[in-house]
Amino acid sequence: MKLQDGRLRVDDHARDTAGLTYVYPVVSRRAGGVSVGINLNPNNACNWRCVYCQVPDLQRGGPPPIDLRQLETELVAMLDDVVHGDFMRERVSEGARRLNDIAFSGNGEPTMSAAFPEAVALVGRVMARFGLTGKIKLVLITNGSQLYKPAVQQAIAAMAGLGGEVWYKLDRAPQDGFSAVNQVQLKASAVREHLAAASSRCPTWLQTCMFAIDGALPDKAVQDAYLDYLASLCASGVTLQGVLLYGLARPSMQIEAPRLSAAPGEWMQALAARIEGLGLSVRLSL
């Protein structure tokens, strides 16, 4: 639900706040301001099904064909309102009136779209039109599953020239089997290869969500496996900017929702300290 005065909230990232198909604004706790989202999955389809996902009616699959002309029209209109109009004053609380980034996120995996490379180029042109190149970030929030594709790798390299960052989902250490958190099969070597492909082309952060299931937090074995995997990534030459460590701020829309609860702040801070002990920067969002 929105506030009665129509202001955006950090605990509500609904994609329909602007009444558009592909473009939506949010106030992001991780971004630290306003993020203009690009949704290439308006059909609520993704190749993963993370148990904490806030997308309603999520289904397995890929995105529909993207109308790039409509995407550009929507993005130009949104940025015109944010940069030149009354958007910040009318929709954003005073302390968050800062345009931080344009982010490929949305209701599914952005890189599943065949139009992703063209969309990156399109966003680059619009950023230049508004004088935003070099002033704000262009972010890709991804599960990394498509990073074996040359077209996706080339698009990520192009993002680097636009002040880009990759936020790569890694919620638990891949164990060469089924991930209960992400509801997919993962292989440690493939994740490492995809991370290497991303980080060698564009600054890359890991994005990790921690929470309790049925009241139980990830135990020592799960934490140790995660930390050992981070250490192995660094030892193998994968260059990471750090870890975006966050908890549950918005309710899951998946069937597991009643079983999930937020991790205590002290627990999250202790894990952040262990990650920092590996020599990695941590941005913690509770």
Side-chain angles (χ1 to χ4, degrees):
M1 295 177 63
K2 316 296 181 294
L3 294 182
Q4 290 183 351
D5 64 2
R7 292 186 185 274
L8 301 175
R9 304 183 340 197
V10 296
D11 61 349
D12 184 352
H13 282 196
R15 315 306 193 204
D16 60 353
T17 55
L20 304 175
T21 300
Y22 300 116
V23 176
Y24 62 96
V26 298
V27 174
S28 170
R29 60 196 169 124
R30 279 173 285 168
V34 173
S35 175
V36 173
I38 306 292
N39 183 14
L40 299 183
N41 303 76
N43 60 342
N44 294 4
C46 188
N47 61 333
W48 287 23
R49 191 190 70 77
C50 302
V51 297
Y52 56 81
C53 183
Q54 295 96 23
V55 175
D57 303 318
L58 183 69
Q59 58 183 310
R60 295 277 193 175
I66 303 301
D67 185 334
L68 291 169
R69 181 175 296 181
Q70 180 180 347
L71 170 58
E72 183 169 8
T73 298
E74 291 184 2
L75 182 58
V76 167
M78 176 58 64
L79 289 179
D80 188 56
D81 196 16
V82 170
V83 176
H84 303 304
D86 295 328
F87 179 88
M88 290 293 191
R89 179 176 58 83
E90 294 181 353
R91 300 292 306 279
V92 182
S93 299
E94 188 171 354
R97 290 175 183 169
R98 168 179 175 266
L99 177 59
N100 186 78
D101 62 55
I102 298 172
F104 286 97
S105 179
N107 290 2
E109 172 53 38
T111 60
M112 286 285 288
S113 173
F116 174 67
E118 294 174 273
V120 169
L122 181 159
V123 172
R125 293 194 299 271
V126 174
M127 288 173 65
R129 173 174 171 176
F130 283 88
L132 296 173
T133 308
K135 296 180 181 179
I136 66 170
K137 297 174 184 177
L138 177 58
V139 176
L140 167 65
I141 301 176
T142 180
N143 61 33
S145 61
Q146 307 302 300
L147 275 159
Y148 66 92
K149 296 179 178 179
V152 175
Q153 295 175 1
Q154 291 165 11
I156 288 174
M159 284 182 56
L162 298 170
E165 288 185 351
V166 174
W167 294 4
Y168 191 114
K169 184 186 300 293
L170 184 73
D171 292 318
R172 305 291 183 271
Q175 298 293 318
D176 290 342
F178 184 73
S179 167
V181 171
N182 307 123
Q183 297 288 295
V184 289
Q185 293 286 337
L186 290 176
K187 191 173 182 180
S189 60
V191 173
R192 182 179 292 106
E193 290 169 6
H194 293 173
L195 267 169
S199 62
S200 64
R201 291 168 173 82
C202 189
T204 299
W205 290 80
L206 294 181
Q207 180 181 247
T208 297
C209 184
M210 288 289 181
F211 50 89
I213 301 180
D214 298 326
L217 292 163
D219 62 20
K220 184 177 184 300
V222 171
Q223 293 180 58
D224 288 349
Y226 171 79
L227 291 161
D228 288 347
Y229 190 72
L230 296 192
S232 73
L233 291 173
C234 296
S236 66
V238 175
T239 303
L240 300 172
Q241 301 300 301
V243 177
L244 304 172
L245 179 62
Y246 68 107
L248 297 179
R250 306 186 302 280
S252 168
M253 299 297 288
Q254 308 310 307
I255 59 174
E256 294 86 358
R259 302 175 56 200
L260 310 184
S261 57
E266 297 83 359
W267 188 93
M268 295 286 283
Q269 290 165 357
L271 179 59
R274 294 188 68 188
I275 297 170
E276 290 173 338
L278 299 175
L280 292 168
S281 297
V282 178
R283 295 179 185 171
L284 176 60
S285 301
L286 299 176

